[in-house]
Amino acid sequence: MPEATASAPIRPLTPEDLVRLRDIGPADPTQQYAGLFAVSPDGTHAAFQLRQADPQANGYCLAMLVVDLARPGRAIVVDRGGDFIRARYDFRGKAGFPTGLADPITPRWSPDGKFIVFRRRDRGGVQLWRAETDGSGSRAITASADDIEDFRITADGRSVIYATRPGLRKARAEIEREGLSGFHYDDRFAPAASDRPFPPAPIARSFTVFDFASGTTRAASKSEAALLDGSAMREGSWIEAVDAGGRRATIAVPPDSIYAGRGQLSATSDGRARVCPAAECADASYPWWVAGKVRFLRREGWANSETAIYEWNPGTARVRRLYRTEDLLLGCVPDGGSLVCLRESSLQPRRLERLDPASGRRDILFDPNPEFARLTLGRVERLLTRNRFGLESFADIVLPVGYRPGQRYPLVVVQYSSRGFLRGGTGDDYPIQGFANRGFAVLSIDKPSAIGLRYSNDYTEIDRINLKDFAERRSILDSVEIAVRTAIARGIADPARVGITGLSDGASTAGFALLHSDLFSAFALSSCCTDTTLPMRVGPGSAPAFYQVGYPRLSDDSAAARAFWREIAYSPNAARIRAPILAQLPDDEYLNALQSYTVLRELDRPIDLFVFPGEHHVKWQPAHRLAVYTRAIDWFDFWLNGASPRGRPAELAHWQALRAALARDASSPPQ
């Protein structure tokens, strides 16, 4: 539990400080907006899971907390223990695809507020647990053969309905049996992710009722299952609100919209429906009632970088803006005229606050990381940019700790979302304030909206437009370059010492920059690498989707195909690549890098590759996150500053050998 630290000395932030932050909900603020905490039926308390990583033990300390909303800072632990639960999802026709993302744990209150129910894993399946809210005890209440994915407590508080997917367990068992005679290589395979097939998606959910009094279970009826099925309104709905008088506010989301929960606001009272005619109401979300008026959230400002709260009196033509902020508000729950939200800013990790939109007053209800206030941080300034495609974006420039105007610093670009707390970029691999405390300036990039969104709401068509003439890659790179050149023009960044990082789409941008930009001197990637064998690596089930949007087939050796790969693939460009590349990859993705890595090493190009076991795209293991953090800082310190990192004798010797080989290549200078 956090402790008061007002008397603690101020000290430099270290990468381990970021790894050990206590988290409420997933670290990535874009992963989930609702259900990260739950307010009691009487509105007096909130419950949530608190999670802290331990890199030495390579595990997590997990606890369920209940916070008294009337007494800020007062919290009790009602349950402690369990294993970190990672999200799985259906991906390209494959069920249960693994990730390193935290699966949001939503506690749910009993109607009388005496206990909460939540999901917990203990060296096995995910079960339901019950914890008394006075802290008197907790226990498992289910023994399901399958992971429990979601649940609801019934209105009378006598039972809970939960969802599982028994078909997933059965499909996996069938795959194990198939392995005895050899797996048939077909659409179920994703070679870069696994050496065995995945169960085909979708797999239907099964619904079960657990009775609290008897401890027995039975199959749910259709009406009971409707509490959990995809068509039902979920708790904390972002598209509908009903007040005590029966008045209803609704967000009508266009059927072809790709933005869930955002649409046209309307209200119904006394049997009469009224559509809000104000322009702001056409892109509203999360309505709630306050004294007969509807309040709602809206993203607005430059590149939608701000969150605003508006109020509409149904029957009138105008709305009134009550509040506006660049901070990120997550999982907000109405509390009279106020909102209880998780809130984070560029320099402040997530904490629970109460906000009065009308006055702007904020009260801290629970701060998981009070120690953070005693750490040195680099100052943050926001840059607003518009690229040559006319698209708005923004970047946060983080100045090095101890910054002196007029002195130029090495600069590292971190991608590709810059909303909320500036932690480690998308994937949380590149510690922004860790770099700032090592003397680096950092550009945290929030990429522009996709080119294809200008013309279509169909995902395939969007991808096809994005890929044509590599418009999307050029658009994002242009936004990045504008921000970098601004930092150089302002005398902050040394143009000869600029590095870039990236995971997933960010790694694609970095790879495109490797081939199309002369601004960057060193690279660190968490996904690697785009190359000509891409159709083979994604597998026979996914390759057609890539062909459909414009990627060449592996068998295509035409001039057009070769020209295509020269724009984005490493291998055809290996002879001209000089910049050092660090790749730190999950073990289920490292095969993607081997073609590029092998070609570059054959030519003595400076690429170094590390593979992390048990990881899936986004790294979740605390020891791995700390290793990636510190190695990335040392990598850029070595290549941009000529520093010799301590504690890495073998790696230092290898990096020195890479640099010596690069120096011997006199065909052209390093980028």
Side-chain angles (χ1 to χ4, degrees):
M1 290 288 288
E3 298 178 358
T5 58
S7 60
I10 295 177
R11 63 173 179 82
L13 175 144
T14 68
E16 189 163 346
D17 291 319
L18 293 175
V19 173
R20 287 186 174 275
L21 282 175
R22 299 177 189 88
D23 287 312
I24 302 173
D28 185 342
T30 65
Q31 188 182 340
Q32 168 131 338
Y33 283 90
L36 303 186
F37 68 96
V39 174
S40 61
D42 63 4
T44 62
H45 292 77
F48 52 82
Q49 184 190 72
L50 193 65
R51 181 181 73 254
Q52 185 178 34
D54 181 350
Q56 275 64 51
N58 199 26
Y60 290 87
C61 178
L62 303 170
M64 295 300 303
L65 270 63
V66 171
V67 173
D68 188 337
L69 298 181
R71 303 172 67 182
R74 180 176 174 82
I76 60 173
V77 175
V78 299
D79 176 77
R80 189 189 303 273
D83 298 329
F84 179 70
I85 300 177
R86 292 179 287 115
R88 289 178 175 268
Y89 63 104
D90 293 350
F91 180 62
R92 293 176 181 165
K94 300 166 182 65
F97 208 86
T99 77
L101 298 171
D103 199 5
I105 304 301
T106 303
R108 306 195 187 279
W109 290 80
S110 64
D112 60 10
K114 292 184 177 180
F115 66 88
I116 58 172
V117 176
F118 54 95
R119 296 184 306 132
R120 172 171 155 169
R121 182 192 296 277
D122 290 83
R123 300 179 181 275
V126 178
Q127 304 295 340
L128 293 183
W129 280 60
R130 168 176 170 159
E132 308 306 311
T133 53
D134 62 2
S136 59
S138 63
R139 67 186 188 279
I141 59 174
T142 61
S144 172
D146 304 288
D147 287 350
I148 294 175
E149 298 181 347
D150 197 6
F151 69 96
R152 295 291 187 278
I153 298 175
T154 56
D156 59 14
R158 295 178 179 178
S159 56
V160 60
I161 299 121
Y162 63 84
T164 59
R165 288 200 289 176
L168 185 59
R169 168 172 48 89
K170 295 174 182 177
R172 287 171 175 162
E174 180 58 35
I175 287 172
E176 289 299 316
R177 286 191 291 271
E178 180 187 349
L180 297 175
S181 58
F183 299 125
H184 182 239
Y185 187 74
D186 53 26
D187 289 357
R188 301 170 299 162
F189 270 86
S194 177
D195 58 2
R196 60 183 55 221
F198 286 90
I203 292 177
R205 295 203 296 181
S206 176
F207 302 95
T208 304
V209 177
F210 171 83
D211 183 82
F212 286 115
S214 66
T216 59
T217 60
R218 60 174 175 81
S221 66
K222 288 185 178 180
S223 61
E224 290 169 328
L227 292 173
L228 289 175
D229 72 20
S231 63
M233 299 295 294
R234 61 190 178 93
E235 292 178 348
S237 170
W238 282 82
I239 60 176
E240 187 173 65
V242 182
D243 73 354
R247 288 174 291 199
R248 188 179 302 271
T250 304
I251 302 294
V253 181
D256 61 347
S257 174
I258 65 171
Y259 301 110
R262 291 167 54 180
Q264 177 66 54
L265 173 66
S266 63
T268 302
S269 61
D270 302 324
R272 183 178 178 183
R274 297 180 177 90
V275 175
C276 176
E280 294 86 349
C281 293
D283 190 31
S285 68
Y286 191 34
W288 73 99
W289 290 90
V290 176
K293 299 179 181 179
V294 180
R295 291 181 178 177
F296 61 93
L297 299 183
R298 184 174 183 270
R299 293 281 287 275
E300 62 184 38
W302 192 271
N304 282 337
S305 59
E306 298 172 322
T307 297
I309 299 174
Y310 284 86
E311 184 175 81
W312 172 52
N313 187 2
T316 63
R318 296 183 178 181
V319 296
R320 182 166 66 105
R321 188 170 65 199
L322 302 177
Y323 189 76
R324 192 176 187 178
T325 181
E326 288 184 349
D327 292 356
L328 205 58
L329 305 178
L330 303 172
C332 296
V333 175
D335 179 24
S338 300
L339 284 176
V340 175
C341 303
L342 292 168
R343 183 177 187 138
E344 55 185 80
S345 67
S346 58
L347 292 175
Q348 174 60 56
R350 192 175 303 171
R351 60 190 181 188
L352 191 68
E353 295 189 6
R354 179 184 284 110
L355 168 68
D356 179 0
S359 67
R361 176 176 172 173
R362 297 164 53 188
D363 296 308
I364 301 171
L365 302 175
F366 183 77
D367 184 357
N369 300 287
E371 309 95 331
F372 200 78
R374 312 301 294 176
L375 303 176
T376 59
L377 304 176
R379 192 171 78 249
V380 178
E381 299 179 16
R382 177 149 291 185
L383 306 178
L384 306 182
T385 64
R386 187 190 303 274
N387 68 18
R388 61 188 173 92
F389 295 86
L391 294 174
E392 296 177 349
S393 62
F394 61 90
D396 290 308
I397 185 164
V398 183
L399 300 174
V401 173
Y403 170 73
R404 296 180 180 178
Q407 179 177 338
R408 291 191 180 272
Y409 294 86
L411 176 72
V412 173
V413 173
V414 176
Q415 302 182 73
Y416 51 90
S417 176
S418 198
R419 301 173 190 270
F421 177 55
L422 301 184
R423 187 167 181 161
T426 300
D428 191 23
D429 273 4
Y430 302 102
I432 290 172
Q433 290 292 343
F435 280 110
N437 274 267
R438 185 73 78 88
F440 290 83
V442 182
L443 266 177
S444 176
I445 300 292
D446 198 276
K447 70 175 184 176
S449 61
I451 290 282
L453 284 174
R454 283 178 165 178
Y455 309 100
S456 177
N457 285 327
D458 176 76
Y459 285 104
T460 299
E461 184 62 20
I462 290 170
D463 286 342
R464 184 181 294 112
I465 295 168
N466 287 343
L467 188 62
K468 183 175 174 58
D469 298 325
F470 305 98
E472 177 71 354
R473 296 273 68 89
R474 297 184 195 281
S475 171
I476 298 173
L477 178 58
D478 194 51
S479 294
V480 172
E481 289 189 325
I482 290 171
V484 172
R485 290 193 174 100
T486 300
I488 293 171
R490 289 181 52 183
I492 297 170
D494 181 348
R497 294 185 294 162
V498 180
I500 187 170
T501 69
L503 165 84
S504 196
D505 189 76
S508 297
T509 297
F512 198 72
L514 178 71
L515 305 180
H516 294 274
S517 177
D518 58 2
L519 282 178
F520 304 100
S521 302
F523 294 72
L525 308 176
S526 299
S527 308
C528 186
C529 307
T530 303
D531 224 320
T532 60
T533 56
L534 182 146
M536 177 185 73
R537 292 185 270 117
V538 300
S542 298
F546 285 84
Y547 302 148
Q548 187 177 6
V549 299
Y551 282 84
R553 296 176 181 272
L554 193 61
S555 57
D556 187 351
D557 191 36
S558 66
R562 292 194 297 272
F564 176 96
W565 290 118
R566 279 196 299 272
E567 294 291 325
I568 60 170
Y570 285 51
S571 293
N573 296 284
R576 65 185 185 90
I577 292 175
R578 300 287 185 273
I581 303 167
L582 171 67
Q584 301 191 87
L585 310 179
D587 60 349
D588 69 356
E589 292 185 353
Y590 87 99
L591 291 177
N592 290 334
L594 294 189
Q595 178 187 5
S596 307
Y597 174 85
T598 302
V599 172
L600 289 170
R601 290 305 302 131
E602 287 177 349
L603 298 175
D604 273 339
R605 298 299 186 260
I607 183 171
D608 209 2
L609 172 62
F610 291 84
V611 181
F612 290 84
E615 297 289 3
H616 311 280
H617 199 55
V618 173
K619 301 173 189 69
W620 64 275
Q621 297 177 58
H624 292 170
R625 289 179 54 219
L626 182 59
V628 171
Y629 270 4
T630 56
R631 183 176 290 116
I633 294 175
D634 287 344
W635 176 261
F636 286 113
D637 216 4
F638 177 82
W639 288 100
L640 300 183
N641 297 330
S644 296
R646 298 178 180 178
R648 299 184 187 276
E651 289 179 43
L652 176 59
H654 182 55
W655 295 352
Q656 288 172 334
L658 293 177
R659 186 163 59 188
L662 183 63
R664 288 193 298 269
D665 186 350
S667 61
S668 64
Q671 293 179 356

